[in-house]
């Protein structure tokens, strides 16, 4: 496979360019302060899978939709309005009746501090029994979505798969349906020990993640997530000499490409979190023939959350648009850097801004 041959279905009248399967939460942001003594919060919508669809739509102009579930109450309506405000198609949301107390279904909440200097970011999730965690395979009609209506890309992630046994089975069924219909599939392993450790089956993460990875065209992860999520023995690869050392992650990506024949590429970010407010930052994409790297930047962070998801959105945009793998990592890394320069889970950026950062343009005022 040459550098320009990542295979994606051509645009032939499909209803959507991309679909994202995952939970959409309400994020409560204390700004510069801390959750423990906050008196007010800004509220954003967000989720590891949804953020990709949002970036593809709002930054890159693709037709995207979210596959999720919300409670039929005021919080669900708030999330619905925020999704619509971002331009993402909300027509495929499953609505669940609310029992008045949230005993059986509720809105997932996430309280997230940005961190600063030596104080690391902190996330406090409040999402058990959320509407999205109860999604079941029969509620996502893959043949209708990918066959009758049509889509070119499906993205989902390990955060959604880890929410419950139902959500894991829904992710597996949906990616298999996408593959049957020739839709490109991406999966961000996005390992969260706090989610997977609550499963009664200690092998749940490996079983579910391997089943999903087997259907993927693009896998997002590095040596750490491959070991934790896929059960790959990578001890012989050694440790990184620095956080930005690409060697072990690249070697692990090659092994994943060998293990999963449907994979076309593996993508990941490199991050050196010297402080909460300044990181070394770069993107990488590995095909079977070549490693593609973005330039390495020193990035000043206003809000770290969503940088990795914005990276994925830039990669998917470039591959959907036939721009090739080098453009994918360049645009992905630039989009991620911009996402971390604004509050909230998603980038408030234009395509022109992303392309300017990717070129290495300076930050002089534009008037």
């Amino acid at each position: 496979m040459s550098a320009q041959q990542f295979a994606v279905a051509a645009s032939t009248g499909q209803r959507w360019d991309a679909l994202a399967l995952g939970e959409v939460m309400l994020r409560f942001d204390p700004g510069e302060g801390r959750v423990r003594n906050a008196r007010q919060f800004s509220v954003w919508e967000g989720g590891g899978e949804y953020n990709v669809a949002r970036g593809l739509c709002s930054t890159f102009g693709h037709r995207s939709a979210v596959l999720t579930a919300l409670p039929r109450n005021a919080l669900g309506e708030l999330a619905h309005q925020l999704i619509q405000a971002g331009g993402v198609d909300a027509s495929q949301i499953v609505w669940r009746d609310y029992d008045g107390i949230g005993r059986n279904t509720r809105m997932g909440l996430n309280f997230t501090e940005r961190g600063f200097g030596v104080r690391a970011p902190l996330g406090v999730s409040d999402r058990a029994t959320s509407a999205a965690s109860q999604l079941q395979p029969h509620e996502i009609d893959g043949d209708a979505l990918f066959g009758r209506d049509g889509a070119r890309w499906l993205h989902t992630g390990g955060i959604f798969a880890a929410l419950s046994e139902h959500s894991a089975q829904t992710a597996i069924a949906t990616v298999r349906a996408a593959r049957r219909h020739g839709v490109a599939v991406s999966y961000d392993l996005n390992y969260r020990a706090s989610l997977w450790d609550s499963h009664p089956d200690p092998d749940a993460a490996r079983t579910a993640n391997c089943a999903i990875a087997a259907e993927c065209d693009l896998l997002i992860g590095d040596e750490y997530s491959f070991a934790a999520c896929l059960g790959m023995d990578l001890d012989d690869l050694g440790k990184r000499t620095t956080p930005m050392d690409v060697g072990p992650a690249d070697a692990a990506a090659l092994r994943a490409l060998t293990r999963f024949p449907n994979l076309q590429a593996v993508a990941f970010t490199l991050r050196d979190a010297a402080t909460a407010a300044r990181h070394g930052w770069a993107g990488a994409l590995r095909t079977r023939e070549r490693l593609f790297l973005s330039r390495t930047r020193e990035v000043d962070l206003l809000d770290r959350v969503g940088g990795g998801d914005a990276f994925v959105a830039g990669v998917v945009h470039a591959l959907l648009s036939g721009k090739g793998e080098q453009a994918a990592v360049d645009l992905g890394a630039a989009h991620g850097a911009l996402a971390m320069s604004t509050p909230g889970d998603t980038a408030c950026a234009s395509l022109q801004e992303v392309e300017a950062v990717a070129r290495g343009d300076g930050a002089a005022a534009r008037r």
Side-chain angles (χ1 to χ4, degrees):
M1 184 187 302
S2 73
Q4 303 295 322
Q5 292 181 337
F6 191 103
V8 182
S11 180
T12 56
Q14 296 94 332
R15 181 175 176 182
W16 301 288
D17 296 312
L19 298 171
L21 170 65
E23 181 174 30
V24 182
M25 295 185 293
L26 292 177
R27 173 186 169 190
F28 288 74
D29 175 7
E32 298 175 354
R34 307 211 64 179
V35 170
R36 67 183 64 188
N37 61 355
R39 297 297 180 268
Q40 60 184 13
F41 295 90
S42 296
V43 180
W44 320 92
E45 90 285 16
E49 300 83 16
Y50 162 79
N51 294 342
V52 175
R54 173 69 148 73
L56 283 168
C57 174
S58 61
T59 301
F60 298 108
H62 293 284
R63 298 161 299 157
S64 65
V66 62
L67 309 177
T68 194
L70 295 174
R72 198 179 297 280
N73 63 17
L75 292 178
E77 289 293 345
L78 172 58
H80 184 227
Q81 290 183 21
L82 292 170
I83 291 167
Q84 291 180 309
V88 176
D89 183 350
S91 65
Q92 303 305 304
I93 292 174
V94 175
W95 288 93
R96 300 204 184 285
D97 290 337
Y98 177 61
D99 65 0
I101 194 172
R103 181 182 294 108
N104 297 320
T105 190
R106 58 193 290 268
M107 188 75 219
L109 307 178
N110 188 25
F111 297 80
T112 308
E113 298 177 8
R114 301 178 191 177
F116 188 80
V118 296
R119 178 168 58 86
L122 173 68
V124 182
S125 292
D126 182 22
R127 62 199 299 185
T129 70
S130 68
S133 73
Q134 299 176 51
L135 275 172
Q136 299 190 40
H138 72 271
E139 295 181 289
I140 304 293
D141 189 341
D143 290 330
L145 289 171
F146 306 122
R148 183 193 66 201
D149 295 328
R152 299 177 63 205
W153 198 287
L154 169 69
H155 177 73
T156 190
I159 294 179
F160 174 69
L163 292 179
S164 68
E165 293 182 31
H166 292 313
S167 64
Q169 292 305 313
T170 300
I172 293 169
T174 305
V175 298
R176 286 175 175 169
R179 178 154 292 282
R180 284 199 308 273
H181 288 280
V183 175
V185 176
S186 58
Y187 184 62
D188 190 341
L189 289 165
N190 227 342
Y191 180 65
R192 298 289 189 274
S194 59
L195 295 178
W196 285 112
D197 287 350
S198 65
H199 281 248
D201 178 4
D203 291 326
R206 180 188 57 79
T207 301
N209 283 309
C210 286
I212 296 169
E215 309 298 332
C216 286
D217 297 271
L218 175 67
L219 187 63
I220 296 94
D222 56 21
E223 71 272 33
Y224 307 111
S225 54
F226 291 163
C229 298
L230 304 176
M232 294 175 63
D233 184 359
L234 303 172
D235 289 343
D236 61 309
L237 298 183
K239 303 295 183 182
R240 300 189 190 190
T241 57
T242 70
M244 304 299 289
D245 176 11
V246 73
D250 183 38
L254 281 169
R255 290 194 186 176
L257 286 160
T258 299
R259 178 173 176 179
F260 300 106
N262 286 323
L263 276 182
Q264 298 189 57
V266 172
F268 53 92
T269 58
L270 298 166
R271 186 193 293 266
D272 183 1
T275 74
R278 170 161 282 213
H279 291 182
W281 172 256
L285 186 144
R286 160 57 77 174
T287 66
R288 287 180 172 81
E289 288 73 35
R290 183 178 165 190
L291 173 67
F292 298 84
L293 285 169
S294 75
R295 70 178 68 201
T296 297
R297 297 176 174 83
E298 290 293 320
V299 178
D300 293 305
L301 279 65
L302 181 63
D303 184 356
R304 169 176 173 160
V305 177
D309 303 328
F311 166 75
V312 176
V315 170
V316 173
H317 158 67
L319 297 177
L320 276 171
S321 305
K323 296 180 179 295
E325 287 83 349
Q326 187 59 57
V329 291
D330 290 340
L331 293 172
H335 192 222
L338 284 167
M340 294 184 289
S341 75
T342 58
D345 287 29
T346 57
C348 304
S350 68
L351 175 60
Q352 292 73 26
E353 288 175 321
V354 174
E355 290 174 337
V357 172
R359 287 193 304 267
D361 292 1
R366 294 176 176 86
R367 297 186 175 93

